[in-house]
Amino acid sequence: MESAHYFSAQPAGPFTRKPLTVELAGAPRHLQTSRGIFSPDGIDKGTAVLLGEVPDPSPEGNLLDIGCGWGPIALTMALKSPSAQVHAVDVNERCIALTNENAASLGLGNVKASLPEDVPSDVEFDTIWSNPPIRIGKEELHRLLLTWLPRLAPGGNAWLVVQKNLGSDSLQRWLACELDGSFAVSRESTSKSFRILRVRRASR
């Protein structure tokens, strides 16, 4: 299965780009995708729920997409907030290449996809959007979220889409326990089989 290795740094098989046309931010976009990444044939159901349910990202500052794939979340953030800097992270090198190439093809100079460790450690994020990679396992998922969510800027918001039968409610409770008192965790909506979780950091 392709999904078995989309979170590998260097997936098996050739990196062969193929065209993909999807609607992002209200218009068709002509992009590229490849095998060996998450949801190579289009926008997956969870990401579609996220993009359809959450409010627009901060119009400026730093925005973050955790687990960018070929870029649908990061590209949408950049299209909606052209004055913001969008950081997109993934461990899969194909995803990084594709997101950067797709941003360039759309003329989006405000997107930078990279490995997580290449994001400067002092950057805080005004908005985080993510369809987090639940299937990497609970321990790795928890480590991933505790790497990025504490980097919300004061007053910032993170929006996560998680399938109900993959532990959205238990993840909500875990986040509420693990994050300090400056963070509030809530379930904002339910759509189809997905929950939208919101993590909000208090303003200073």
Side-chain angles (χ1 to χ4, degrees), residues 4-181:
H5 60 87
Y6 70 79
F7 42 78
S8 300
Q10 296 178 321
F15 184 6
T16 304
R17 293 162 178 80
K18 64 176 185 176
L20 174 70
T21 299
V22 295
E23 184 173 306
L24 296 176
R29 315 289 177 176
H30 303 292
L31 307 170
Q32 294 189 101
T33 183
S34 172
R35 295 294 171 183
I37 66 172
F38 177 64
S39 193
D41 298 321
I43 300 175
D44 65 285
K45 292 179 181 178
T47 296
V49 167
L50 180 79
L51 296 178
E53 294 277 330
V54 301
D56 286 350
S58 173
E60 55 189 11
N62 290 293
L63 316 180
L64 175 66
D65 172 12
I66 306 170
C68 61
W70 51 263
I73 291 174
L75 298 175
T76 299
M77 295 176 103
L79 288 162
K80 288 178 173 288
S81 299
S83 296
Q85 175 63 48
V86 180
H87 301 262
V89 295
D90 209 294
V91 298
N92 186 321
E93 294 175 2
R94 291 186 191 180
C95 293
I96 295 168
L98 287 167
T99 297
N100 283 325
E101 290 169 12
N102 286 332
S105 74
L106 296 179
L108 297 171
N110 60 331
V111 175
K112 182 179 181 180
S114 68
L115 294 170
E117 57 265 30
D118 292 334
V119 178
S121 60
D122 60 345
V123 175
E124 291 186 322
F125 302 99
D126 299 279
T127 304
I128 297 174
W129 285 0
S130 181
N131 180 0
I134 300 295
R135 296 185 187 278
I136 61 175
K138 185 178 292 187
E139 183 176 343
E140 285 298 318
L141 175 67
H142 288 176
R143 183 179 296 113
L144 177 71
L145 294 177
L146 288 183
T147 295
W148 296 109
L149 293 178
R151 292 176 63 175
L152 274 173
N157 288 278
W159 302 87
L160 313 175
V161 62
V162 184
Q163 200 164 351
K164 286 189 287 186
N165 65 4
L166 292 180
S168 60
D169 294 345
S170 61
L171 181 63
Q172 178 185 345
R173 291 190 294 270
W174 179 83
L175 286 170
C177 290
E178 290 294 320
L179 295 170
D180 68 38

